[in-house]
Amino acid sequence: MKLLRELSEAAGVPGREENIRQIIQRELKGCVDEMSVDAMGNLIAHKKGTAQKRQRIMFAAHMDEIGFYVSFIDDRGFLRLQEVGGFDTRNLFARRVIVHTAKGPLRGVLNATGKPFHTSSPDERRQYKEVSEFFVDLGLPGKEVAKRVQIGDMVTLDAPFVEYGHYASGKCLDNRVQVYIGIRVLQALKRCPNDVFGVFTVQEEVGLRGAFTSTYGVEPDIGVCLDTTIASDVPGIAPEHRITTLGAGVGIKVLDGSVISHRELVETFVTLAKRSKIKHQLEILPRGGTDAGAMQRSRKGVKTVTLSVPTRYIHSVTETVHKDDVKATEALLLRFLQA
Ligand SMILES: [Zn+2]
């Protein structure tokens, strides 16, 4: 899990995925036949197939994490933020952040505007806040902040990766856990009959943008999207609203808000999982989407399916996965690519 820790703690908001890309390039050096980066920043790792008649299989895992850009610096040095990706602001109170400046990182704290608990009324405490009502305090005078911070600097949440019980937890396991799996699968894949393109995409969290261009460029016959999905298997949620359950295995997606998986591919993966005794669960996510939505609609259409890692507390800094589900996802993808 050392690599997963590194990926979780690294910074890469949509449009600024370079740190993540570098880690992947380092890990895949010598493991694949070619690596390239397209104009948008998608990393494409190609492993050549050995069969006479080959299909082009692309799997895609997005590298970006939900985060912010600095949008305003006031005279006293407080920063305002533009979010990139969907935040539940209830998860944003009293957070530590890192502002990534051209001259290096600065630590800060993120808080909401308004009165503290002791001096606020019950009504004021109940108010929902927008991201625009939060600010960053860097602990530096305004003049110094103005010298060091620029509009457009990346800001990420600062939280450690933690292992507890059978779980691993940290920021942006959506989708670094699947980046980790994609790397591990390409490292383990010694021989494959078909051409395999491991694609690490950019800007998924702002609308699947990197998946559109990379799928167009790769022109695959089959697309396998790798992402996290909701596991609402926690107190206070009715069983029919769980979506997936932690520890019950890799999620094979039937549909979500962006895509209906190709029926044959769903059946292929279920059969393969059963035959290989890999724990799996079928998933229906009524709302929300992944890169699969873009992959499926590329060119004349691509047969697409999604493998999901069930994740609790999604889009918070405590995104939590079961280590067995991570292993199951890795095992199933590897089997599929070797078949
Ligand atoms: Zn995701």
Side-chain angles (χ1 to χ4, degrees):
M1 297 262 125
K2 216 176 114 207
L3 177 61
L4 182 56
R5 173 187 299 275
E6 185 185 7
L7 287 164
S8 166
E9 292 180 354
V13 306
R16 292 294 309 276
E17 294 89 352
E18 64 271 13
N19 298 320
I20 318 307
R21 198 164 47 234
Q22 276 166 20
I23 296 171
I24 303 166
Q25 283 167 324
R26 182 196 75 205
E27 289 296 317
L28 292 183
K29 219 173 158 206
C31 301
V32 292
D33 295 302
E34 306 171 300
M35 264 195 277
S36 60
V37 179
D38 73 9
M40 280 189 77
N42 298 296
L43 173 65
I44 298 150
H46 178 202
K47 201 143 191 161
K48 287 183 185 145
T50 51
Q52 279 272 313
K53 247 189 114 204
R54 296 194 292 274
Q55 284 199 300
R56 294 166 76 82
I57 302 179
M58 165 175 166
F59 73 74
H62 72 86
M63 296 186 280
D64 57 314
E65 69 188 272
I66 53 171
F68 316 91
Y69 283 86
V70 173
S71 63
F72 180 71
I73 307 163
D74 80 12
D75 295 342
R76 293 190 295 157
F78 293 113
L79 312 180
R80 296 301 183 108
L81 305 174
Q82 170 64 45
E83 75 263 43
V84 269
F87 276 102
D88 180 345
T89 54
R90 292 173 299 178
N91 293 326
L92 285 182
F93 287 88
R95 291 284 164 211
R96 293 179 209 289
V97 294
I98 300 176
V99 180
H100 304 263
T101 77
K103 294 173 193 131
L106 293 174
R107 284 186 183 276
V109 298
L110 178 71
N111 271 297
T113 53
K115 295 176 197 161
F117 173 80
H118 296 77
T119 56
S120 54
S121 68
D123 261 1
E124 284 170 329
R125 277 176 231 155
R126 271 196 293 271
Q127 276 167 13
Y128 182 85
K129 298 272 187 185
E130 303 288 345
V131 172
S132 59
E133 295 170 275
F134 284 76
F135 62 91
V136 175
D137 180 350
L138 288 170
L140 293 169
K143 276 192 179 146
E144 200 163 329
V145 172
K147 264 191 241 158
R148 295 171 73 167
V149 181
Q150 276 195 341
I151 302 297
D153 282 346
M154 158 169 75
V155 181
T156 54
L157 293 163
D158 180 17
F161 177 82
V162 175
E163 291 173 68
Y164 67 101
H166 298 296
Y167 301 162
S169 176
K171 80 167 179 67
C172 65
L173 291 192
D174 171 12
N175 192 33
R176 302 290 159 71
V177 69
Q178 288 281 24
V179 170
Y180 169 82
I181 289 166
I183 293 170
R184 302 249 311 169
V185 164
L186 287 171
Q187 286 172 337
L189 190 64
K190 297 292 174 235
R191 274 171 70 84
C192 45
N194 294 301
D195 278 319
V196 173
F197 297 86
V199 180
F200 300 89
T201 62
V202 297
Q203 301 186 34
E204 189 268 356
E205 296 288 2
V206 288
L208 327 178
R209 296 177 192 175
F212 278 107
T213 60
S214 57
T215 313
Y216 191 93
V218 169
E219 219 177 327
D221 300 301
I222 291 173
V224 182
C225 175
L226 305 176
D227 211 328
T228 52
T229 194
I230 288 169
S232 286
D233 57 336
V234 291
I237 311 270
E240 65 269 30
H241 295 134
R242 275 180 195 158
I243 315 293
T244 58
T245 303
L246 240 63
V250 45
I252 300 172
K253 193 181 298 257
V254 177
L255 68 87
D256 66 21
S258 73
V259 76
I260 298 170
S261 299
H262 193 269
R263 193 67 212 168
E264 271 170 38
L265 279 177
V266 171
E267 279 162 18
T268 301
F269 273 97
V270 169
T271 307
L272 199 56
K274 279 185 186 159
R275 216 191 298 143
S276 314
K277 297 197 168 56
I278 295 167
K279 261 192 173 180
H280 59 284
Q281 50 190 319
L282 288 163
E283 176 212 341
I284 286 189
L285 179 66
R287 287 192 299 151
T290 65
D291 275 344
M295 294 166 79
Q296 189 180 52
R297 276 168 268 184
S298 186
R299 292 180 181 258
K300 292 179 287 178
V302 177
K303 290 181 181 178
T304 300
V305 69
T306 301
L307 297 183
S308 310
V309 174
T311 307
R312 285 185 190 159
Y313 325 120
I314 212 153
H315 284 204
S316 82
V317 292
T318 57
E319 290 179 336
T320 296
V321 299
H322 195 302
K323 291 179 190 176
D324 289 350
D325 297 337
V326 178
K327 284 185 199 144
T329 310
E330 195 180 311
L332 187 57
L333 180 61
L334 189 59
R335 284 292 159 87
F336 177 72
L337 297 177
Q338 284 169 335

